[in-house]
Amino acid sequence: MPQISQILATYASQFFWLLIVFGLIYFTVGRIMLPKVEATMNARDRKIADDLAAAEHARAEANNLGDSGAADLTAARAEAQAKSTAAKAKAAKDADARLAKADAEISAKIAAADAALAKATAKALSGIEAMAAEAAADIVAKVSGAKVTSAQAAKAVKAVMSHG
Amino acid sequence: MAGESGKIDPMYQFKIEPLAQLELAGYDVSFTNSSLFMVLVLGALWLFMAGGMKREMVPGRWQMAVEGATGFINNMLTANVGPEGKKYVPLVFSLFMFILMANFMGMMPFGIVPGVHPFTITSHLTVTAVLALFSFGTVLVVGFWKHGLHFFSLFVPQGTPWWLLWLIPVIELFSFMIRPFSLALRLFVAMTAGHIMMKVLAGFVINGLNAEAAWVPLIVSFPAFLLMIGITLLELLVCAIQAYVFALLTSLYINDAVNLH
């Protein structure tokens, strides 16, 4: 077995070169290259964590914005509803008032027209009475030759007319 | 390259051959095939890491692979030691990647080039012992640095009855002191045994094909070749598992040093 039979002849060379090579590995690979690789990994991990945190933050903000937007919308809708209700009520009130006024005017006109009509009717009726009395007196005079006073004729007409 | 007279020597792959003679303070520190493969591992590891250094926010495939490896060790230490384990990621990552790359480098099919054969650095006790000492030494230094002499309370687990106080510390001390040996031997034995088995089975295939009797290739070489495929896949798994076990045990030992049970 050369490992053992050669050990006395080769140990110095083995130790010497191993120390050189392993020293180089430890100080270049272990102490210089490895920390750089790990720094890159750490930087990546940190960046991922930061990005995730930023995304989370942005999402929370967006949620907040959405909430406040919804609240704004609800308030605006309520306000619009209140305004429209008020406007409707006002319009209804105005219409009522105008209607009442128009009603009153119309009633007044109707009343006036009624009164005029009644007056005209009365006048016409009294005209008819007088004419009827005259006509009755004339008829009586022509038929019987009797003279009837207008007062008697009027009385007779009135009696007939009231009996209808 | 086979041994003498056409025989295949399964131990030849572990032989250390000097490529360039070198001497330092009386010691022979020649640049050997073992040193060459250490340097190859270093180059492969640099290449692998450099591919993951683009530092992009959205990683590509290579960067994902590098980040997967670092994240794996990072998670292992965080899970076993806690937040304080982050300090030891460079050491455990270096150990893990060095062992993993060395194991895989020993499995590379360099043998298709005549005269070249892959060398598994981690199949040498001298190498695994040094790696285990890095692990064990870190535990000792961290333990005494953080807890001072209180570190010895590691050998008296909580709830030890007073009448066992003469025995438990001895057992605990023994199990503690054996850690570097078990770390070193486990890796060395696993890699050595696996590679010997592969060479022996490959020897069956080749020697069977060279046999004079016509039935031998069919009866010996073909089944051995099928088995060889399975063993090779298993060996690749062992390469990864041994690196993982070394890193996991190191992180568990560091946990002992940091948290004292």
Side-chain angles (χ1 to χ4, degrees):
Chain A
M1 195 176 241
Q3 288 100 318
I4 292 166
S5 58
Q6 279 191 311
I7 200 164
L8 284 177
T10 59
Y11 76 95
S13 150
Q14 290 279 74
F15 290 171
F16 178 74
W17 289 104
L18 180 61
L19 284 178
I20 289 179
V21 168
F22 193 77
L24 276 174
I25 287 178
Y26 181 71
F27 286 107
T28 61
V29 173
R31 287 268 170 212
I32 297 173
M33 290 164 138
L34 179 74
K36 282 185 181 163
V37 172
E38 291 198 319
T40 311
M41 288 168 79
N42 289 339
R44 181 182 312 119
D45 288 351
R46 201 164 43 242
K47 175 132 175 49
I48 289 171
D50 283 357
D51 286 359
L52 280 180
E56 186 60 37
H57 186 72
R59 197 178 63 173
E61 208 165 293
N63 275 347
N64 271 346
L65 275 181
D67 285 354
S68 69
D72 279 359
L73 205 62
T74 314
R77 194 173 285 145
E79 201 182 331
Q81 219 150 20
K83 262 186 190 160
S84 88
T85 313
K88 244 183 240 172
K90 201 177 157 214
K93 224 159 107 187
D94 278 4
D96 276 357
R98 244 181 288 167
L99 208 61
K101 204 174 152 198
D103 248 8
E105 265 171 35
I106 290 163
S107 307
K109 270 187 190 158
I110 289 171
D114 274 355
L117 200 62
K119 217 166 143 188
T121 309
K123 204 173 161 188
L125 276 178
S126 63
I128 286 168
E129 235 171 79
M131 269 174 54
E134 228 168 86
D138 282 355
I139 290 160
V140 168
K142 261 189 193 157
V143 171
S144 63
K147 251 213 159 76
V148 181
T149 63
S150 58
Q152 279 172 323
K155 198 176 162 192
V157 167
K158 223 170 218 164
V160 170
M161 275 180 77
S162 61
H163 285 168
Chain B
M1 278 220 284
E4 67 285 354
S5 73
K7 285 222 178 73
I8 291 167
D9 175 14
M11 289 303 174
Y12 176 73
Q13 56 173 330
F14 302 118
K15 196 156 181 258
I16 295 177
E17 287 159 304
L19 301 178
Q21 294 290 342
L22 207 68
E23 200 157 308
L24 193 79
Y27 288 102
D28 173 23
V29 292
S30 303
F31 190 80
T32 61
N33 53 349
S34 176
S35 319
L36 174 67
F37 270 81
M38 290 179 196
V39 174
L40 277 180
V41 166
L42 175 65
L45 190 49
W46 269 344
L47 198 69
F48 175 68
M49 289 304 281
M53 298 288 286
K54 285 184 217 125
R55 320 199 63 177
E56 281 166 12
M57 261 299 142
V58 180
R61 288 176 201 185
W62 198 314
Q63 196 181 339
M64 278 301 273
V66 175
E67 286 178 2
T70 62
F72 175 67
I73 297 299
N74 205 333
N75 285 344
M76 185 190 280
L77 279 164
T78 316
N80 287 319
V81 185
E84 262 193 276
K86 291 233 182 267
K87 270 191 284 183
Y88 309 102
V89 171
L91 176 75
V92 178
F93 184 74
S94 304
L95 282 170
F96 175 72
M97 289 311 281
F98 179 72
I99 294 171
L100 187 71
M101 291 271 183
N103 290 353
F104 281 142
M105 202 57 86
M107 293 291 292
M108 291 293 147
F110 297 135
I112 55 173
V113 181
V116 179
H117 70 91
F119 182 87
T120 314
I121 315 159
T122 41
S123 67
H124 272 260
L125 195 51
T126 41
V127 172
T128 59
V130 172
L131 293 177
L133 277 179
F134 283 144
S135 168
F136 189 67
T138 307
V139 170
L140 285 182
V141 169
V142 169
F144 283 113
W145 186 273
K146 275 185 83 79
H147 304 289
L149 290 181
H150 193 61
F151 183 53
F152 284 113
S153 71
L154 189 66
F155 303 131
V156 187
Q158 268 189 339
T160 309
W162 61 268
W163 49 272
L164 271 178
L165 275 179
W166 61 276
L167 178 62
I168 296 286
V170 177
I171 296 174
E172 288 284 329
L173 179 67
F174 188 72
S175 81
F176 183 78
M177 296 311 287
I178 211 158
R179 281 171 180 181
F181 298 97
S182 71
L183 269 182
L185 284 173
R186 181 182 300 111
L187 183 55
F188 154 66
V189 166
M191 298 320 293
T192 303
H195 280 259
I196 290 175
M197 187 155 63
M198 285 171 63
K199 279 292 184 298
V200 169
L201 278 170
F204 284 174
V205 177
I206 292 164
N207 285 337
L209 286 174
N210 290 339
E212 282 169 27
W215 56 269
V216 175
L218 195 67
I219 303 297
V220 176
S221 294
F222 185 65
F225 184 71
L226 285 186
L227 194 58
M228 185 71 201
I229 294 173
I231 295 288
T232 307
L233 293 176
L234 188 71
E235 198 49 27
L236 284 171
L237 184 69
V238 168
C239 287
I241 286 178
Q242 286 302 324
Y244 170 67
V245 165
F246 200 100
L248 181 68
L249 285 175
T250 299
S251 67
L252 287 176
Y253 296 160
I254 288 174
N255 176 45
D256 275 357
V258 172
N259 298 320
L260 285 184
H261 282 303

